[in-house]
Amino acid sequence: QVQLVESGGGLMQPGGSLRLSCAASGIAFSIYTMGWYRQVPGKQRELVAVITSGGITNYVDSVKGRFTISRSNAKNTLYLQMNSLKPEDTAVYYCNAAREHYTIWGQGTQVTVSS
């Protein structure tokens, strides 16, 4: 069964840290470009960070220097380390796997940053 399952979301105070995980199954994880997206109600889903099969990373400007995307091909797992969280980081975070014309989405995990 092909699926992506996110975990690690929750409520955090501004300035705090969270680590999101995305466990993949049913795909050849190592050959996929993996990404984290986020969405707030009424807005389009936006790309937060991406990591290619070769380990090249890219980030949206608003999270550069605060978030780190990484992957473990041995564990078929994608990570997003989020530090110095801000209220504007509040969103549902989605894991994505993409290769050529094929894309898979996880169900999302809520991240809320509030005091």
Side-chain angles (χ1 to χ4, degrees):
Q1 182 180 3
V2 175
Q3 64 176 359
L4 302 175
V5 180
E6 301 98 333
S7 62
L11 174 64
M12 179 56 62
Q13 291 185 340
S17 297
L18 284 173
R19 188 174 84 153
L20 304 183
S21 298
C22 170
S25 59
I27 62 171
F29 179 81
S30 64
I31 67 173
Y32 278 75
T33 291
M34 300 298 298
W36 287 101
Y37 291 70
R38 64 187 179 188
Q39 188 171 23
V40 298
K43 293 190 176 182
Q44 285 190 333
R45 192 171 296 187
E46 70 165 350
L47 176 64
V48 175
V50 64
I51 183 167
T52 68
S53 58
I56 297 172
T57 59
N58 199 14
Y59 301 87
V60 67
D61 285 346
S62 60
V63 308
K64 285 180 179 177
R66 300 189 297 121
F67 290 11
T68 303
I69 189 171
S70 61
R71 64 191 298 164
S72 169
N73 291 336
K75 297 181 178 180
N76 287 354
T77 302
L78 177 72
Y79 303 100
L80 185 67
Q81 178 66 43
M82 305 186 294
N83 298 329
S84 302
L85 283 163
K86 303 176 180 180
E88 51 264 43
D89 295 319
T90 295
V92 178
Y93 284 71
Y94 296 91
C95 176
N96 175 269
R99 176 169 172 79
E100 297 178 346
H101 301 294
Y102 186 58
T103 187
I104 310 161
W105 291 96
Q107 83 289 348
T109 185
Q110 176 70 46
V111 172
T112 302
V113 184
S114 174
S115 55

